[in-house]
Amino acid sequence: MNFGEVITAMVTPFDEQLKVDYHRLEKLINFLIKNGSDAIVVSGTTGESPTLSMEEKLSLFEHTVKIVKGRIPVIAGTGTNNTKESVYLTEEAEKLGVNGIMAITPYYNRPNQKGLYVHFEKMALSTKLPVMLYNVPARTSVHLEVDTVVELSKIPNITSIKEASGNLENISKIIANTPEHFTVYSGDDSLTLPILSIGGFGVVSVASHIYGTKIKQMIKNYRLGNIKLAANIHKQLLPFMIEIFSSPSPAPIKFALNNLGVKVGSVREPLIPLSESEGKSIIELLP
């Protein structure tokens, strides 16, 4: 399945008591669709998945599918550091009508490459949905090596990877050695254009909450051969892309959305919200 080129790793809106706010969720989803998101990831890193209970995750999947009504693909973040739990979440997410699965490398317990292969294989075999691998060693302390990705890409419904290692050499090798249908997405907003230049397909983005349309324009112009224009858009967006990771994510992007009038509430502890002084530079970069 083609998830599109700009996938937004969606924040989870909370109310003043830090409970999931489904009214705000509907407004946020409609805002994202209007502003260039080809698909959305629910309960990923940006969705504060470590602080969401199993029940909250499943409820989020269900409500998101109902709100989207087939307009764009919904990708459920079902990966955890517990293979059995990840398989259960994947099976339940499929029943709720999501269109794809995103599976992060197991964190904290630090499996070896064989263990990673078995983990993702079991997740993939538990569903008919397309599965996107997610490699983000800075957060998990586990790196999904090139050879392991190549082997996993041979499983028919493992169709893509969100690559957030920042290692362009490894990403190039993945692109060169996986099947043509296997797509590589940048997991770092600031590396979207460089990864496109080596054969990447798109981005799983945080900045697209605000600048989805601009990111789509950048990708479109690159595809059309308007390299200088694409590079100029990249340069325009780069300060914002850097600033939204100046504090632990997703506090900065939630601050930006709230200041644009798209109310998504605060972050759950142990994350803390940005102060007005910390968010001043973000406000200056808003449209």
Side-chain angles (χ1 to χ4, degrees):
M1 181 178 182
N2 185 344
F3 292 131
E5 294 174 326
V6 179
I7 303 173
T8 297
M10 187 177 70
V11 302
T12 300
F14 298 130
D15 62 20
E16 282 64 33
Q17 287 73 46
L18 295 181
K19 294 179 180 178
V20 178
D21 191 320
Y22 296 103
H23 180 65
R24 287 178 170 178
L25 178 68
E26 182 171 9
K27 290 189 173 182
L28 173 63
I29 288 170
N30 289 331
F31 176 81
L32 294 177
I33 293 173
K34 182 181 178 181
N35 286 278
S37 294
D38 294 322
I40 50 177
V41 174
V42 186
S43 184
T45 306
T46 313
E48 298 177 70
S49 59
T51 71
L52 297 172
S53 68
M54 180 86 72
E55 293 75 16
E56 286 176 321
K57 289 178 182 180
L58 293 175
S59 184
L60 270 168
F61 299 157
E62 182 178 16
H63 279 82
T64 300
V65 168
K66 288 179 179 177
I67 292 165
V68 169
K69 295 178 182 175
R71 290 177 287 173
I72 59 173
V74 175
I75 304 168
T78 60
T80 71
N81 64 342
N82 178 330
T83 303
K84 186 176 180 180
E85 182 178 291
S86 301
V87 166
Y88 172 77
L89 268 173
T90 298
E91 292 172 341
E92 293 302 305
E94 182 172 11
K95 292 175 188 175
L96 292 170
V98 304
N99 307 105
I101 298 300
M102 189 172 75
I104 194 169
T105 47
Y107 37 87
Y108 189 73
N109 38 23
R110 301 181 69 184
N112 60 21
Q113 295 301 304
K114 185 175 180 180
L116 289 171
Y117 181 90
V118 169
H119 174 81
F120 289 123
E121 180 187 40
K122 287 192 172 184
M123 287 187 70
L125 293 178
S126 74
T127 182
K128 294 179 182 178
L129 295 174
V131 175
M132 176 185 289
L133 308 172
Y134 179 15
N135 187 37
V136 56
R139 285 188 177 271
T140 65
S141 297
V142 177
H143 176 59
L144 192 56
E145 293 179 3
V146 173
D147 290 347
T148 309
V149 177
V150 172
E151 286 304 305
L152 285 166
S153 72
K154 296 174 184 176
I155 297 173
N157 65 325
I158 295 183
T159 59
S160 57
I161 185 170
K162 175 185 177 182
E163 242 297 343
S165 68
N167 189 321
L168 291 177
E169 182 178 330
N170 282 351
I171 296 170
S172 298
K173 290 177 181 177
I174 290 170
I175 292 167
N177 291 285
T178 50
E180 191 172 338
H181 72 268
F182 186 85
T183 50
V184 175
Y185 287 85
S186 173
D188 296 297
D189 275 301
S190 60
L191 289 181
T192 303
L193 192 57
I195 287 176
L196 287 176
S197 74
I198 57 173
F201 187 77
V203 60
V204 181
S205 173
V206 177
S208 58
H209 279 90
I210 308 295
Y211 285 110
T213 303
K214 276 278 188 184
I215 295 171
K216 286 189 84 166
Q217 289 174 358
M218 179 181 73
I219 295 173
K220 181 180 179 181
N221 276 286
Y222 176 81
R223 300 269 188 238
L224 291 173
N226 301 324
I227 308 301
K228 286 187 177 179
L229 181 53
N232 284 336
I233 297 172
H234 167 79
K235 291 173 189 175
Q236 292 167 18
L237 295 176
L238 189 58
F240 181 77
M241 291 173 170
I242 293 171
E243 195 61 38
I244 56 172
F245 290 98
S246 60
S247 295
S249 182
I253 196 64
K254 279 195 159 182
F255 182 91
L257 285 163
N258 286 324
N259 275 272
L260 269 187
V262 183
K263 298 302 180 183
V264 292
S266 188
V267 288
R268 281 180 172 174
E269 295 171 345
L271 298 181
I272 56 174
L274 265 62
S275 66
E276 289 299 319
S277 60
E278 288 173 324
K280 185 179 178 182
S281 53
I282 291 177
I283 293 174
E284 293 171 353
L285 294 169
L286 293 177

